Amino acid sequence: MSLNSKQNVKCPQCGQMSEITVWNMITVRDSADLKQDLLHGKVNMFHCPSCSHTALMPTPMLYQDEDKRLLISFSPCSDPLLKAQLYDNVCKSSKESGELDKLEGYNLRFVTDYNELLEKILIFENGMSDKTIEVLKLMILSQDLEKSADRICRFGKCENDALEFMIYDVKENQTYTSNVPVETYRTIDESLRDSGVKPYSFGWEMVDASYATKILNGVNN
């Protein structure tokens, strides 16, 4: 069941008070419209009716897609130390509550970035593995190592037998695209499965660039 609450929010820019609906949990099976709103960046985003200031609400949210066996815990955070602490808390509470026993066969993901949350949903919506996608993203960025540290790569869409990735260069303030044949994805995905990477989770996971680096170094789940 999708859950929400009403909050009175003061605009940090003009001071205007507004009441907004904040979603704490989205269950796709009974709230398909909410999924689309989320993918369009409309969920838990504050829009001031007075000055049009826009900001993400710092509200944790759980996203569940039972049909795709996907559960994402989203906690907005940009501090690495706090991120690690929040992740440990989620892992500990799930284990102690016995929740994991009810989620066998699920992919459990912990994310702290809003765009990463949307990317995960899109990846699974296209029937793909985010573990394979993260490896592909590393490969794309490695094509220009001198600039890779300043670039963020995100999966965009799958179309015409190709995967499209968006690459944002922070220093240049430019966005580029890179297309990868679907066959390349399949080859890498099969290779990862053969190496022991599982298509489901044993617990909560942070599947990101660091995770992909570990996989390429021979460490798998």
Side-chain angles (χ1 to χ4, degrees):
M1 178 184 295
S2 297
L3 304 172
N4 67 56
S5 60
K6 300 289 186 179
Q7 291 188 19
N8 289 312
V9 180
K10 182 178 181 180
C11 177
Q13 186 161 292
C14 72
Q16 176 74 30
M17 294 297 297
S18 305
E19 183 181 73
I20 69 169
T21 299
V22 175
W23 290 93
N24 307 103
M25 181 171 181
I26 292 179
T27 303
V28 174
R29 185 170 287 180
D30 59 23
S31 306
D33 55 334
L34 271 176
K35 174 183 177 180
Q36 293 306 313
D37 285 345
L38 177 60
L39 289 174
H40 285 90
K42 297 180 180 179
V43 173
N44 291 357
M45 296 296 291
F46 168 73
H47 299 279
C48 180
S50 178
C51 70
S52 299
H53 177 70
T54 300
L56 174 67
M57 293 294 294
T59 305
M61 183 181 72
L62 199 63
Y63 175 91
Q64 183 176 24
D65 189 330
E66 294 175 295
D67 295 332
K68 300 192 180 305
R69 310 295 284 175
L70 174 66
L71 187 64
I72 305 175
S73 177
F74 171 56
S75 294
C77 171
S78 58
D79 179 79
L81 293 178
L82 179 57
K83 177 180 179 178
Q85 181 181 343
L86 291 171
Y87 176 63
D88 287 342
N89 290 342
V90 168
C91 294
K92 183 178 180 180
S93 61
S94 293
K95 186 175 182 179
E96 292 178 347
S97 66
E99 176 188 42
L100 292 179
D101 297 334
K102 305 175 184 178
L103 298 170
E104 185 176 352
Y106 262 77
N107 275 296
L108 310 176
R109 299 291 184 264
F110 176 82
V111 301
T112 57
D113 180 86
Y114 193 76
N115 288 323
E116 185 181 3
L117 167 67
L118 304 187
E119 180 186 42
K120 295 292 183 192
I121 296 172
L122 284 175
I123 290 170
F124 283 94
E125 184 70 14
N126 281 274
M128 296 183 294
S129 164
D130 58 336
K131 297 177 180 180
T132 305
I133 291 294
E134 288 298 332
V135 171
L136 269 174
K137 285 160 64 174
L138 280 187
M139 294 172 64
I140 292 171
L141 291 176
S142 68
Q143 293 175 4
D144 195 339
L145 287 175
E146 291 184 359
K147 296 183 178 182
S148 62
D150 299 317
R151 292 183 168 181
I152 300 171
C153 184
R154 297 283 187 202
F155 169 74
K157 61 183 178 180
C158 180
E159 190 174 77
N160 299 325
D161 293 324
L163 309 184
E164 182 179 272
F165 293 84
M166 311 301 293
I167 304 166
Y168 175 65
D169 192 301
V170 178
K171 185 176 292 185
E172 299 175 0
N173 192 27
Q174 293 287 332
T175 300
Y176 306 91
T177 60
S178 178
N179 293 313
V180 177
V182 170
E183 190 57 40
T184 299
Y185 165 85
R186 291 172 180 160
T187 299
I188 294 174
D189 187 64
E190 183 177 351
S191 177
L192 293 178
R193 299 289 181 91
D194 290 343
S195 71
V197 175
K198 304 299 182 184
Y200 51 85
S201 301
F202 294 105
W204 289 98
E205 297 179 289
M206 286 193 287
V207 179
D208 50 18
S210 296
Y211 180 95
T213 299
K214 292 178 181 177
I215 287 181
L216 292 177
N217 287 333
V219 179
N220 57 55
N221 57 343

